[in-house]
């Protein structure tokens, strides 16, 4: 069973070389499996988040709620940097804070205008892949975030 989401498929050069999505506009709409969404929900329901979400309730989240979930995951990785009120934070500041942090962690994408707009507006096609990537390797990202404080 597949759930259709608007996710840009990177050209063969991006993900095929192990760099992750590069979000170049290809005009192709990809399919995200329910298994990927289920993986996100299962990890958000487990320690340390304990969000008690269902697949349906997660999929029905409004953009601001989705950004709050992303921010909760980011706060777990670096509490002092991401303890902010998203409602009052400037969109440019949101992008700068989250984009810089994702770059430090090694998230590969083009960070172009489309990605920037999707990130600050809480677009599912941008936020869900980030959540999946962060949650699948949470321990590794936590170590990298900790070390980055001393290396940057």
């Amino acid at each position: 069973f597949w759930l259709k989401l608007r996710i840009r498929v990177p050209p063969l050069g991006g993900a095929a070389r192990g760099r992750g999505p590069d979000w170049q506009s290809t005009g192709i709409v990809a399919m995200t499996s329910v298994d990927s969404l289920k993986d996100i929900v299962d990890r958000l329901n487990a320690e340390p988040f304990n969000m008690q979400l269902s697949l349906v309730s997660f999929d029905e989240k409004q953009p601001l709620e989705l950004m709050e979930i992303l921010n909760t995951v980011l706060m777990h990785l670096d509490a002092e940097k991401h303890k902010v009120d998203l409602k009052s934070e400037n969109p440019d500041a949101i992008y700068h804070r989250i984009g810089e942090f994702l770059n430090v962690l090694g998230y590969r994408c083009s960070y172009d205008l489309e990605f920037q707009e999707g990130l600050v507006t809480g677009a599912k096609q941008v936020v869900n892949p980030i959540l999946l990537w962060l949650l699948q390797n949470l321990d590794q990202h936590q170590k990298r975030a900790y070390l980055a404080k001393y290396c940057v």
Side-chain angles (χ1 to χ4, degrees):
F1 176 72
W2 293 89
L3 180 64
K4 185 175 183 178
L5 297 175
R6 294 190 168 276
I7 298 177
R8 302 284 183 188
V9 175
L12 289 178
R17 290 190 295 238
R19 292 188 339 215
D22 60 9
W23 296 102
Q24 291 181 353
S25 296
T26 61
I28 300 171
V29 176
M31 303 296 259
T32 298
S33 72
V34 172
D35 290 337
S36 295
L37 292 178
K38 187 175 181 333
D39 192 21
I40 293 171
V41 170
D42 288 345
R43 292 172 189 267
L44 289 172
N45 288 338
E47 289 289 332
F49 305 109
N50 299 318
M51 291 192 178
Q52 300 180 355
L53 296 167
S54 70
L55 191 56
V56 173
S57 67
F58 177 75
D59 190 50
E60 291 177 345
K61 292 289 183 193
Q62 295 298 315
L64 181 59
E65 295 171 313
L66 199 57
M67 286 300 295
E68 288 172 349
I69 290 172
L70 175 61
N71 203 59
T72 299
V73 173
L74 295 174
M75 278 179 37
H76 176 73
L77 298 173
D78 188 347
E80 60 186 61
K81 185 172 189 165
H82 298 288
K83 191 171 186 173
V84 296
D85 180 14
L86 290 172
K87 294 176 186 173
S88 63
E89 190 176 23
N90 179 324
D92 289 336
I94 291 172
Y95 175 72
H96 180 72
R97 176 177 56 83
I98 296 175
E100 178 183 298
F101 192 68
L102 290 173
N103 190 36
V104 166
L105 293 180
Y107 187 72
R108 303 280 183 185
C109 69
S110 66
Y111 295 94
D112 62 3
L113 186 59
E114 182 179 355
F115 177 82
Q116 179 179 352
E117 289 173 358
L119 185 59
V120 298
T121 60
K124 290 180 183 183
Q125 67 267 25
V126 174
V127 176
N128 285 353
I130 294 170
L131 280 171
L132 182 63
W133 183 79
L134 289 171
L135 293 168
Q136 284 180 333
N137 299 303
L138 195 62
D139 291 337
Q140 178 184 350
H141 296 314
Q142 195 167 18
K143 290 175 189 173
R144 190 167 195 155
Y146 175 77
L147 292 173
K149 292 177 189 179
Y150 301 103
C151 296
V152 176

